[in-house]
mmCIF file of all heavy atoms in Angstrom:
data_model
loop_
_atom_site.group_PDB
_atom_site.id
_atom_site.type_symbol
_atom_site.label_atom_id
_atom_site.label_comp_id
_atom_site.label_asym_id
_atom_site.label_seq_id
_atom_site.Cartn_x
_atom_site.Cartn_y
_atom_site.Cartn_z
ATOM 1 N N LEU U 35 6.074 32.194 -85.124
ATOM 2 C CA LEU U 35 7.511 32.191 -85.006
ATOM 3 C C LEU U 35 8.224 31.815 -86.310
ATOM 4 O O LEU U 35 9.473 31.935 -86.352
ATOM 5 C CB LEU U 35 7.919 31.209 -83.908
ATOM 6 C CG LEU U 35 7.609 31.575 -82.419
ATOM 7 C CD1 LEU U 35 7.857 30.352 -81.558
ATOM 8 C CD2 LEU U 35 8.424 32.748 -81.974
ATOM 9 N N ARG U 41 9.177 21.304 -84.050
ATOM 10 C CA ARG U 41 10.296 22.008 -83.325
ATOM 11 C C ARG U 41 9.778 22.761 -82.130
ATOM 12 O O ARG U 41 10.375 22.667 -81.048
ATOM 13 C CB ARG U 41 11.007 22.921 -84.330
ATOM 14 C CG ARG U 41 12.125 23.693 -83.699
ATOM 15 C CD ARG U 41 12.801 24.598 -84.730
ATOM 16 N NE ARG U 41 13.721 25.494 -84.105
ATOM 17 C CZ ARG U 41 14.213 26.538 -84.668
ATOM 18 N NH1 ARG U 41 13.969 26.792 -85.979
ATOM 19 N NH2 ARG U 41 15.100 27.326 -84.075
ATOM 20 N N PRO U 52 15.503 26.846 -76.989
ATOM 21 C CA PRO U 52 15.609 27.663 -78.191
ATOM 22 C C PRO U 52 16.948 28.474 -78.128
ATOM 23 O O PRO U 52 17.527 28.701 -77.065
ATOM 24 C CB PRO U 52 14.458 28.617 -78.083
ATOM 25 C CG PRO U 52 14.152 28.755 -76.610
ATOM 26 C CD PRO U 52 14.557 27.388 -76.064
ATOM 27 N N ASP U 53 17.421 28.866 -79.362
ATOM 28 C CA ASP U 53 18.644 29.713 -79.356
ATOM 29 C C ASP U 53 18.183 31.122 -78.979
ATOM 30 O O ASP U 53 17.008 31.440 -78.868
ATOM 31 C CB ASP U 53 19.293 29.655 -80.732
ATOM 32 C CG ASP U 53 18.419 30.089 -81.853
ATOM 33 O OD1 ASP U 53 17.595 31.024 -81.685
ATOM 34 O OD2 ASP U 53 18.577 29.554 -82.956
ATOM 35 N N LEU U 54 19.146 32.000 -78.747
ATOM 36 C CA LEU U 54 18.830 33.311 -78.279
ATOM 37 C C LEU U 54 17.997 34.114 -79.215
ATOM 38 O O LEU U 54 17.096 34.881 -78.791
ATOM 39 C CB LEU U 54 20.127 34.065 -77.968
ATOM 40 C CG LEU U 54 20.903 33.546 -76.732
ATOM 41 C CD1 LEU U 54 22.191 34.285 -76.573
ATOM 42 C CD2 LEU U 54 20.053 33.641 -75.511
ATOM 43 N N SER U 55 18.261 34.012 -80.568
ATOM 44 C CA SER U 55 17.446 34.803 -81.462
ATOM 45 C C SER U 55 15.978 34.391 -81.445
ATOM 46 O O SER U 55 15.094 35.220 -81.530
ATOM 47 C CB SER U 55 18.000 34.710 -82.881
ATOM 48 O OG SER U 55 18.048 33.421 -83.364
ATOM 49 N N LEU U 56 15.717 33.083 -81.291
ATOM 50 C CA LEU U 56 14.349 32.621 -81.227
ATOM 51 C C LEU U 56 13.737 33.041 -79.852
ATOM 52 O O LEU U 56 12.541 33.382 -79.815
ATOM 53 C CB LEU U 56 14.284 31.107 -81.414
ATOM 54 C CG LEU U 56 12.890 30.510 -81.443
ATOM 55 C CD1 LEU U 56 12.006 31.138 -82.555
ATOM 56 C CD2 LEU U 56 12.961 29.027 -81.724
ATOM 57 N N LEU U 57 14.484 32.986 -78.826
ATOM 58 C CA LEU U 57 14.014 33.437 -77.515
ATOM 59 C C LEU U 57 13.559 34.891 -77.566
ATOM 60 O O LEU U 57 12.488 35.254 -77.101
ATOM 61 C CB LEU U 57 15.064 33.248 -76.479
ATOM 62 C CG LEU U 57 14.705 33.651 -75.029
ATOM 63 C CD1 LEU U 57 13.595 32.867 -74.469
ATOM 64 C CD2 LEU U 57 15.937 33.591 -74.104
ATOM 65 N N VAL U 58 14.343 35.669 -78.240
ATOM 66 C CA VAL U 58 14.005 37.132 -78.387
ATOM 67 C C VAL U 58 12.713 37.288 -79.169
ATOM 68 O O VAL U 58 11.813 38.084 -78.826
ATOM 69 C CB VAL U 58 15.147 37.916 -79.027
ATOM 70 C CG1 VAL U 58 14.705 39.321 -79.445
ATOM 71 C CG2 VAL U 58 16.327 37.982 -78.111
ATOM 72 N N LYS U 59 12.542 36.477 -80.228
ATOM 73 C CA LYS U 59 11.329 36.520 -81.045
ATOM 74 C C LYS U 59 10.128 36.041 -80.230
ATOM 75 O O LYS U 59 9.046 36.626 -80.310
ATOM 76 C CB LYS U 59 11.472 35.640 -82.263
ATOM 77 C CG LYS U 59 10.460 35.887 -83.342
ATOM 78 C CD LYS U 59 10.827 35.206 -84.651
ATOM 79 C CE LYS U 59 9.835 35.578 -85.759
ATOM 80 N NZ LYS U 59 10.264 34.992 -87.018
ATOM 81 N N MET U 60 10.277 35.005 -79.424
ATOM 82 C CA MET U 60 9.238 34.527 -78.555
ATOM 83 C C MET U 60 8.767 35.643 -77.609
ATOM 84 O O MET U 60 7.588 35.903 -77.421
ATOM 85 C CB MET U 60 9.680 33.334 -77.708
ATOM 86 C CG MET U 60 9.837 32.040 -78.499
ATOM 87 S SD MET U 60 10.483 30.780 -77.386
ATOM 88 C CE MET U 60 10.421 29.346 -78.512
ATOM 89 N N CYS U 61 9.733 36.296 -76.994
ATOM 90 C CA CYS U 61 9.417 37.379 -76.049
ATOM 91 C C CYS U 61 8.711 38.523 -76.764
ATOM 92 O O CYS U 61 7.736 39.048 -76.157
ATOM 93 C CB CYS U 61 10.759 37.921 -75.403
ATOM 94 S SG CYS U 61 11.459 36.720 -74.307
ATOM 95 N N SER U 62 9.133 38.857 -77.943
ATOM 96 C CA SER U 62 8.476 39.926 -78.679
ATOM 97 C C SER U 62 6.999 39.611 -78.975
ATOM 98 O O SER U 62 6.106 40.410 -78.795
ATOM 99 C CB SER U 62 9.212 40.172 -79.970
ATOM 100 O OG SER U 62 8.599 41.139 -80.774
#
Side-chain angles (χ1 to χ4, degrees):
L35 291 169
R41 177 179 170 195
D53 60 35
L54 290 177
S55 60
L56 185 57
L57 178 64
V58 168
K59 194 169 186 177
M60 288 174 173
C61 290
S62 177

